[in-house]
């Protein structure tokens, strides 16, 4: 009976997106809808691993770019070096 009551109330006690996670206004959201018969560019080359010989250098550059854009907030950064 509890399940039927929840269904009848349109799951009002269980929102799809909790209010504290609803950060983007509905009119500012970008969504993509595709049909079952639509042609989709799968970009399969993005799913291929390529070894990066300059990985450490590139990571350092990305961290600099990240700090430049987001600021110097390092609270949630995971450095396992």
């Amino acid at each position: 009976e509890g399940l039927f009551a929840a269904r009848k109330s349109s799951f009002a006690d269980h929102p799809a997106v909790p209010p504290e996670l609803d950060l983007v206004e509905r009119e500012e959201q970008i969504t993509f809808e595709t049909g079952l018969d639509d042609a989709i560019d799968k970009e399969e080359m993005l799913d291929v691993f390529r070894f990066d010989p300059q990985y450490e250098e590139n990571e350092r550059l990305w961290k600099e770019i990240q700090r430049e854009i987001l600021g110097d907030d390092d609270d949630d950064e995971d450095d396992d070096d």
Side-chain angles (χ1 to χ4, degrees), residues 2-78:
L3 289 175
F4 290 118
R7 168 96 164 86
K8 205 172 212 180
S9 67
S10 299
F11 299 99
D13 295 337
H14 307 283
V17 178
E20 60 271 9
L21 295 179
D22 193 14
L23 304 176
V24 179
E25 298 296 327
R26 179 66 79 186
E27 58 272 359
E28 294 179 6
Q29 293 179 0
I30 299 172
T31 59
F32 299 94
E33 295 180 10
T34 59
L36 294 176
D37 296 328
D38 294 347
I40 299 173
D41 181 16
K42 297 183 275 182
E43 299 185 32
E44 291 179 356
M45 287 305 298
L46 296 177
D47 199 24
V48 176
F49 176 78
R50 293 183 195 92
F51 178 74
D52 184 6
Q54 289 92 24
Y55 174 79
E56 297 292 332
E57 176 67 19
N58 290 335
E59 282 296 304
R60 187 184 60 73
L61 291 173
W62 276 114
K63 294 238 186 249
E64 288 178 16
I65 293 170
Q66 180 182 9
R67 278 193 292 276
E68 183 178 309
I69 293 172
L70 301 176
D72 290 334
D73 188 16
D74 293 336
D75 292 343
D76 59 352
E77 195 170 305
D78 294 335

